[in-house]
Every structure is written in C-alpha cells, then in structure tokens.
Amino acid sequence: DAGITQSPRYKITETGRQVTLMCHQTWSHSYMFWYRQDLGHGLRLIYYSAAADITDKGEVPDGYVVSRSKTENFPLTLESATRSQTSVYFCASSDELAGVRSYEQYFGPGTRLTVT
Amino acid sequence: AQTVTQSQPEMSVQEAETVTLSCTYDTSESDYYLFWYKQPPSRQMILVIRQEAYKQQNATENRFSVNFQKAAKSFSLKISDSQLGDAAMYFCASAPGISGGGADGLTFGKGTHLIIQP
C-alpha cells in the first residue's frame, strides 16, 4: 500500500533552471493538492485539482505550473526556479465517495527543494 | 476566504500531563471543516482529528480531543496523558464545505511546536 509518494525527496537546483516535482497516489483519489511549507508561514496552497484535466490556482501560484493528465499523477513544475522558491513541497490528496466529498487530506512525505 | 491563527508558537508540557493548543479561525462559510495535523521531525503530515462545523459534539480520538466553540470561532486541541511521541509541530487547518465550492485546499495556521519534558 504505497499511498502517496513524492520524488525526488531532496533536490538542489540553480536559479533559472526548470525543475519538476512528482507526485503519485495509488488510491485513485479525485482531489490532489500542492503546498509549500516555509518557516513562519505554515503550509500554503499552490495549486489543486478536482479531477484529471481540471486544475486551479491556490494562494501562491506564481512561478509554478501543474498538469494532471492521469488521476494518479500531479506533477508540479517550476519553469524558472528562483531562490524564493526554496521550500519544502507537499503533495496531498482527498477522496470523494458516491459524490460525497471527504475534506481530510493525506499527505506525501515532502520534497525539500533548494535553489542556489 | 478563511484564516487560521495559532497564537502559541511553542508549548511545553511534562510527560503524562495534559496540554491544550489554541486555534482560532475566521470564515464566512456556514459549512466548513476543521482539522489538527501533527508534523513530527520526520516531516510527515499526520491527521490527528477532524471536526465538522455542523456537529455540536466535540470530536475525540483516544487521548486527543477538541473544544469546538463555533460562536467564538475557536478550535483548541487537548492532549491528555502526554507522551514523548507527541512531540511535534501541530497545525490547525480549515476547509470550506460544499457551500464554499468545496474544491479549495486547506488553510493552515503557522503551527505550535509542542515539547514534551520527560
């Protein structure tokens, strides 16, 4: 039972480079989310998706791109990384059963990204 | 929009004692959900307890319980018989229900660092 996985777990990249963080869930949950965690800010929502091919912006979407061609995958791309995007990134998912939304979210282990 | 405030950056409690972590929130939604998440040093986010706003009864999960005061928009977490394994960051979070669109993610507070003294 893999649940929700993220890769890589650690990444160091240079300013201006493109980097993609992967998220994969085995539960077939409808909803998926990306958060970033910074000291003093808690977790903040970057993007979310209600289903395959449906995505929407969260609180801090600038500089990020997402896609969701398959239900189980939700990659997050930093098109041109900046030092301010140094953070820990969490992917999460939540379910919907018989049309009833479950609002509790299950989180992946996180990716620590450092932009130099 | 929802906001969540945790006013205690750090709390300390003796092992086996009881501790209460505070959380206040603000929302214009009539339908919403509240959560407490635990983040140990491993960084994994673990759901501790959830509360549906329409339920008057306070949620409990073993040693964890909440005091949900809807009118005051307060949602505190009580940990009884504290154990060393309870040491972690604790985050309060809220989510809008169906009336708020339902698809938005969680809004988190900034967290409370809980220290357990042996």
Side-chain angles (χ1 to χ4, degrees):
Chain A
D1 185 4
I4 184 165
T5 58
Q6 294 183 236
S7 61
R9 295 293 310 278
Y10 300 89
K11 176 74 175 178
I12 299 174
T13 191
E14 295 177 344
T15 299
R17 289 191 180 269
Q18 183 180 81
V19 60
T20 296
L21 309 184
M22 303 302 294
C23 177
H24 176 78
Q25 51 110 349
T26 60
W27 295 310
S28 298
H29 284 178
S30 299
Y31 296 88
M32 296 188 75
F33 307 85
W34 274 107
Y35 296 88
R36 60 177 289 173
Q37 182 178 24
D38 305 291
L39 273 175
H41 287 281
L43 280 80
R44 292 180 291 174
L45 182 67
I46 304 171
Y47 268 96
Y48 63 94
S49 169
D53 298 322
I54 301 175
T55 62
D56 209 344
K57 296 178 180 179
E59 180 186 354
V60 289
D62 293 344
Y64 303 95
V65 175
V66 294
S67 62
R68 195 167 176 207
S69 57
K70 293 183 178 181
T71 299
E72 61 267 29
N73 297 324
F74 191 39
L76 176 74
T77 297
L78 289 67
E79 292 191 304
S80 178
T82 66
R83 289 196 181 90
S84 66
Q85 292 177 309
T86 292
S87 188
V88 178
Y89 291 85
F90 286 96
C91 180
S93 70
S94 66
D95 203 6
E96 183 177 77
L97 294 173
V100 177
R101 173 82 186 276
S102 171
Y103 292 89
E104 57 198 58
Q105 295 182 16
Y106 299 91
F107 285 78
T111 294
R112 181 178 292 279
L113 175 68
T114 301
V115 183
T116 62
Chain B
Q2 301 188 324
T3 61
V4 176
T5 303
Q6 294 179 250
S7 58
Q8 306 153 317
E10 187 172 278
M11 293 280 288
S12 182
V13 64
Q14 292 285 338
E15 194 176 2
E17 296 295 308
T18 295
V19 63
T20 298
L21 308 184
S22 301
C23 172
T24 57
Y25 62 93
D26 194 14
T27 179
S28 56
E29 308 296 340
S30 58
D31 176 27
Y32 55 92
Y33 297 78
L34 299 167
F35 305 90
W36 279 97
Y37 279 86
K38 170 185 177 181
Q39 187 180 42
S42 67
R43 205 168 65 201
Q44 179 69 50
M45 294 289 288
I46 302 165
L47 178 65
V48 175
I49 200 164
R50 62 173 277 169
Q51 175 81 44
E52 291 88 343
Y54 62 85
K55 290 187 177 179
Q56 292 187 336
Q57 186 172 7
N58 289 326
T60 63
E61 288 287 343
N62 300 313
R63 297 182 294 108
F64 299 86
S65 62
V66 297
N67 184 5
F68 175 44
Q69 301 289 327
K70 192 171 183 178
K73 296 184 177 178
S74 171
F75 183 60
S76 60
L77 175 70
K78 185 172 82 172
I79 305 174
S80 303
D81 185 25
S82 297
Q83 299 176 0
L84 294 177
D86 295 333
M89 284 291 289
Y90 285 82
F91 292 95
C92 181
S94 67
I98 289 293
S99 62
D104 291 349
L106 298 172
T107 298
F108 285 86
K110 294 183 178 181
T112 297
H113 182 211
L114 179 63
I115 298 168
I116 310 295
Q117 304 279 5

